[in-house]
């Protein structure tokens, strides 16, 4: 029984990527892309430029003036705070310097209509910055359908997500906290 438990634990650790990998000369080498984290093909400066261009295209006032990279234990990151309780955080690969995730947070305030308007505005800009092949009409449709879905759900554990052009979009809402719009490459 102890042997079976140890084997199952080892399999779980390997599946979760937490095991120490050992190689023997007979074992084939794993494909390197399996070990790499998905990332956008954007450096921090390229992302800031794409974000600012998308903001202008949508007629928004969001602007990343300066990227100040902070060094974290797993990922590096940068943050930008905008007026109206909106902030943006981008995770950066320590290996390549490319963006691995973008999260926009719209802090909840007393005006529900303003919250949804802010989510719509920042989400469209982020979607256009990380996915330039996504048209403005598709971007707006994407965000509006996800807002409608999150607004109609009574289950806080469920949240809408969509996969478009190898990008995963997630919209989460936390009672009393606000909305998170997350874009990850897949």
């Amino acid at each position: 029984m102890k042997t079976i438990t140890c084997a199952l634990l080892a399999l779980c650790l390997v599946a979760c990527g937490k095991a120490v990998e050992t190689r023997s000369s007979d074992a084939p080498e794993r494909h390197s892309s399996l070990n790499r984290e998905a990332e956008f093909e954007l450096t921090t400066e390229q992302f800031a430029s794409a974000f600012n261009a998308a903001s202008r295209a949508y007629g928004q006032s969001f602007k990343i003036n300066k990227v100040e990279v902070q060094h974290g234990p797993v990922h590096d990151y940068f943050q930008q705070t905008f007026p109206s309780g909106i902030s943006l955080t981008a995770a950066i690969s320590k290996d390549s310097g490319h963006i691995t995730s973008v999260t926009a947070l719209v802090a909840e305030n007393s005006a529900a209509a303003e919250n949804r308007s802010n989510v719509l505005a920042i989400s469209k800009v982020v979607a256009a910055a990380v996915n330039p092949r996504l048209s403005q009409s598709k971007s707006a449709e994407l965000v509006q359908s996800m807002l409608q879905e999150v607004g109609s759900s009574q289950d806080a554990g469920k949240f809408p997500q969509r996969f478009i052009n190898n990008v995963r979009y997630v919209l989460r809402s936390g009672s009393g906290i606000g909305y998170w719009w997350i874009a990850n490459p897949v």
Side-chain angles (χ1 to χ4, degrees), residues 114-125:
E114 184 181 339
N115 293 337
R116 294 175 74 78
S117 175
N118 287 341
V119 171
L120 182 61
I122 192 69
S123 299
K124 289 189 302 186
V125 172

Side-chain angles (χ1 to χ4, degrees), residues 136-151:
Q136 283 191 359
S137 62
K138 287 289 186 187
S139 176
E141 181 183 308
L142 165 75
V143 178
Q144 288 172 339
S145 72
M146 291 174 76
L147 273 169
Q148 185 177 20
E149 191 175 327
V150 82

Side-chain angles (χ1 to χ4, degrees), residues 30-113:
R30 296 171 95 189
H31 191 273
S32 63
S33 67
L34 294 176
N35 296 326
R36 284 189 54 210
E37 180 177 28
E39 55 189 41
F40 294 111
E41 292 298 318
L42 297 167
T43 64
T44 56
E45 294 302 326
Q46 291 168 329
F47 172 76
S49 179
F51 180 88
N52 291 340
S55 182
R56 284 189 303 275
Y58 279 100
Q60 299 296 327
S61 61
F62 304 119
K63 184 170 171 86
I64 298 174
N65 292 317
K66 184 178 179 185
V67 174
E68 292 185 26
V69 175
Q70 304 296 314
H71 300 285
V74 176
H75 290 102
D76 293 336
Y77 63 95
F78 78 87
Q79 294 180 306
Q80 179 72 44
T81 303
F82 305 106
S84 306
I86 299 173
S87 66
L88 182 78
T89 303
I92 306 161
S93 167
K94 286 184 173 286
D95 295 331
S96 69
H98 289 150
I99 303 292
T100 60
S101 175
V102 178
T103 303
L105 173 64
V106 177
E108 191 170 283
N109 64 35
S110 59

